[in-house]
Amino acid sequence: QVQLVESGGGLVQAGGSLRLSCAASGSIVSVNTMGWYRQAPGKQRELVAVITSGGGTNYAGSVKGRFTISRDNEKNTVYLQMNSLKPEDTAVYYCNARVAVPMVPTALLTWGQGTQVTVSS
């Protein structure tokens, strides 16, 4: 069984910064692409940023230049550094990862439980 555990959410004023972390644990062979998504009340879940095992990144246009995704492959952990936060960044942030596990030929898409980020104006 593989778990993703997020941390680092909270309440911050507009213009402030937060750093989210997401660690994968369990019976893991390798962790492939990892990503962050967010879901605001009444809206669909949307991509924030993704990072491949080789470090390639992609960002949503609304966060480009303000957020930075990174990972520590030895710790199976992905980070999201969020700077210049805006009230419209308020949402529940979820991490996901494609995880290769023993005896299963296809990498499993796994989601974390989510962490709340609230940005006050």
Side-chain angles (χ1 to χ4, degrees):
Q1 192 78 0
V2 175
Q3 284 187 321
L4 297 181
V5 178
E6 297 129 334
S7 61
L11 173 65
V12 64
Q13 288 188 332
S17 298
L18 282 175
R19 188 190 193 212
L20 305 183
S21 300
C22 174
S25 63
S27 184
I28 297 172
V29 174
S30 64
V31 181
N32 303 330
T33 300
M34 306 183 82
W36 288 96
Y37 291 71
R38 66 187 181 187
Q39 187 166 18
K43 295 188 176 181
Q44 289 189 331
R45 190 172 299 188
E46 62 176 3
L47 171 72
V48 176
V50 293
I51 185 168
T52 67
S53 57
T57 59
N58 192 30
Y59 295 90
S62 59
V63 307
K64 200 172 292 186
R66 300 188 297 123
F67 291 10
T68 302
I69 189 170
S70 61
R71 65 189 287 169
D72 184 331
N73 290 333
E74 289 189 3
K75 296 181 179 179
N76 290 328
T77 299
V78 63
Y79 306 95
L80 186 69
Q81 178 67 43
M82 305 185 292
N83 299 329
S84 302
L85 281 160
K86 304 175 181 180
E88 50 263 45
D89 294 318
T90 295
V92 178
Y93 282 70
Y94 299 89
C95 72
N96 78 356
R98 293 200 173 272
V99 182
V101 299
M103 308 300 290
V104 178
T106 305
L108 303 177
L109 181 62
T110 304
W111 288 88
Q113 80 286 357
T115 185
Q116 177 70 45
V117 171
T118 303
V119 184
S120 63
S121 57

Short mmCIF file of all heavy atoms in Angstrom, two decimals, residues 20 33 43 67 77 89 98 106 110 113 121:
data_model
loop_
_atom_site.label_atom_id
_atom_site.label_comp_id
_atom_site.label_asym_id
_atom_site.label_seq_id
_atom_site.Cartn_x
_atom_site.Cartn_y
_atom_site.Cartn_z
N LEU A 20 4.51 23.77 0.62
CA LEU A 20 3.83 22.49 0.81
C LEU A 20 4.81 21.35 0.57
O LEU A 20 5.70 21.45 -0.27
CB LEU A 20 2.66 22.36 -0.15
CG LEU A 20 1.61 23.48 -0.13
CD1 LEU A 20 0.47 23.14 -1.10
CD2 LEU A 20 1.08 23.71 1.27
N THR A 33 6.20 10.63 -12.28
CA THR A 33 5.74 12.02 -12.23
C THR A 33 5.00 12.30 -10.93
O THR A 33 4.21 11.49 -10.47
CB THR A 33 4.82 12.31 -13.43
OG1 THR A 33 5.55 12.10 -14.63
CG2 THR A 33 4.31 13.75 -13.39
N LYS A 43 -15.56 24.74 -7.60
CA LYS A 43 -14.80 24.64 -8.85
C LYS A 43 -14.23 23.25 -9.01
O LYS A 43 -14.13 22.48 -8.05
CB LYS A 43 -13.68 25.69 -8.87
CG LYS A 43 -14.17 27.11 -8.88
CD LYS A 43 -13.02 28.08 -9.09
CE LYS A 43 -13.51 29.51 -9.20
NZ LYS A 43 -12.37 30.46 -9.44
N PHE A 67 5.04 30.21 -8.21
CA PHE A 67 5.17 28.91 -7.55
C PHE A 67 6.34 28.14 -8.17
O PHE A 67 6.62 28.27 -9.37
CB PHE A 67 3.91 28.07 -7.75
CG PHE A 67 2.69 28.58 -7.02
CD1 PHE A 67 2.67 29.82 -6.41
CD2 PHE A 67 1.55 27.79 -6.96
CE1 PHE A 67 1.53 30.27 -5.74
CE2 PHE A 67 0.41 28.23 -6.31
CZ PHE A 67 0.41 29.47 -5.72
N THR A 77 9.76 12.71 -2.07
CA THR A 77 9.00 13.87 -1.60
C THR A 77 8.96 14.95 -2.68
O THR A 77 9.98 15.20 -3.34
CB THR A 77 9.61 14.43 -0.32
OG1 THR A 77 9.56 13.42 0.69
CG2 THR A 77 8.85 15.65 0.17
N ASP A 89 -5.73 32.07 -4.86
CA ASP A 89 -5.00 30.82 -4.67
C ASP A 89 -5.61 29.97 -3.56
O ASP A 89 -5.19 28.82 -3.35
CB ASP A 89 -3.53 31.10 -4.32
CG ASP A 89 -2.77 31.77 -5.45
OD1 ASP A 89 -2.96 31.36 -6.61
OD2 ASP A 89 -1.98 32.69 -5.17
N ARG A 98 2.64 9.05 -9.67
CA ARG A 98 2.57 7.73 -10.31
C ARG A 98 3.67 6.89 -9.68
O ARG A 98 4.85 7.21 -9.84
CB ARG A 98 2.72 7.85 -11.81
CG ARG A 98 1.54 8.57 -12.46
CD ARG A 98 1.42 8.28 -13.93
NE ARG A 98 0.20 8.86 -14.49
CZ ARG A 98 -0.97 8.22 -14.51
NH1 ARG A 98 -1.06 7.01 -14.01
NH2 ARG A 98 -2.04 8.81 -15.02
N THR A 106 1.98 -1.83 -13.95
CA THR A 106 1.69 -0.44 -14.30
C THR A 106 1.79 0.44 -13.07
O THR A 106 1.31 0.06 -12.00
CB THR A 106 0.26 -0.33 -14.89
OG1 THR A 106 0.13 -1.22 -15.99
CG2 THR A 106 -0.01 1.09 -15.36
N THR A 110 -1.68 7.74 -7.40
CA THR A 110 -2.03 7.85 -5.99
C THR A 110 -2.22 9.31 -5.62
O THR A 110 -1.45 10.16 -6.07
CB THR A 110 -0.93 7.23 -5.12
OG1 THR A 110 -0.70 5.87 -5.55
CG2 THR A 110 -1.33 7.21 -3.66
N GLN A 113 -4.37 13.34 0.77
CA GLN A 113 -5.65 13.66 1.36
C GLN A 113 -6.03 15.13 1.21
O GLN A 113 -7.17 15.51 1.44
CB GLN A 113 -5.66 13.29 2.85
CG GLN A 113 -4.99 14.29 3.79
CD GLN A 113 -3.47 14.27 3.71
OE1 GLN A 113 -2.86 13.49 3.00
NE2 GLN A 113 -2.85 15.17 4.48
N SER A 121 -7.16 38.64 2.10
CA SER A 121 -6.84 39.89 1.39
C SER A 121 -6.55 41.02 2.35
O SER A 121 -6.74 40.90 3.55
CB SER A 121 -8.00 40.27 0.48
OG SER A 121 -9.20 40.39 1.23
#
